[in-house]
Amino acid sequence: HQHIADQIKKILPNGGKVLDMGCGQGALSGRLHDMGYEVTAVDTNPADFICKTVPLVQLDFNDAAAVERFFQEHEGRYDLVLG
C-alpha cells in the first residue's frame, strides 16, 4: 500500500477527503488517515474491516439501487475516490 499512498500524496494535499471503495480490511484507509487524509471506507463485509481509525460504511455492491443512492448522497464530498 505504500506505493499507492506515495502516489496519492503527489496529487492530493494532506487533509484531502478520500473515499476508499472496496476497502477490505482497511489497511490503505488507515495508512491514508495516518498521513493526514480524511478517509471514509466502504465495503460489503464489516466483519473483515479491522481499521480502528476510519469510519466504515457498509454497502452491498450488488445492489445497484443502493450504490446509486450512496453516490447521489455523497456526490461532491470527496477529492479522490479509490476503488
Side-chain angles (χ1 to χ4, degrees):
H1 294 119
Q2 188 59 51
H3 176 71
I4 296 169
D6 290 343
Q7 295 302 312
I8 291 170
K9 189 170 184 146
K10 290 179 184 177
I11 61 171
L12 184 64
N14 285 359
K17 295 180 180 180
V18 178
L19 179 63
D20 188 1
M21 298 292 289
C23 64
Q25 293 182 336
L28 179 58
S29 296
R31 182 179 300 261
L32 293 173
H33 174 269
D34 292 346
M35 291 171 60
Y37 296 101
E38 184 179 328
V39 182
T40 300
V42 179
D43 210 299
T44 58
N45 189 355
D48 290 342
F49 189 72
I50 59 174
C51 181
K52 303 295 183 202
T53 58
V54 175
L56 174 71
V57 175
Q58 184 178 3
L59 180 64
D60 180 357
F61 296 121
N62 294 313
D63 182 343
V67 172
E68 180 65 25
R69 271 192 313 274
F70 177 85
F71 280 117
Q72 287 176 356
E73 292 170 3
H74 292 87
E75 185 176 358
R77 291 187 187 180
Y78 299 97
D79 301 308
L80 180 69
V81 178
L82 305 173

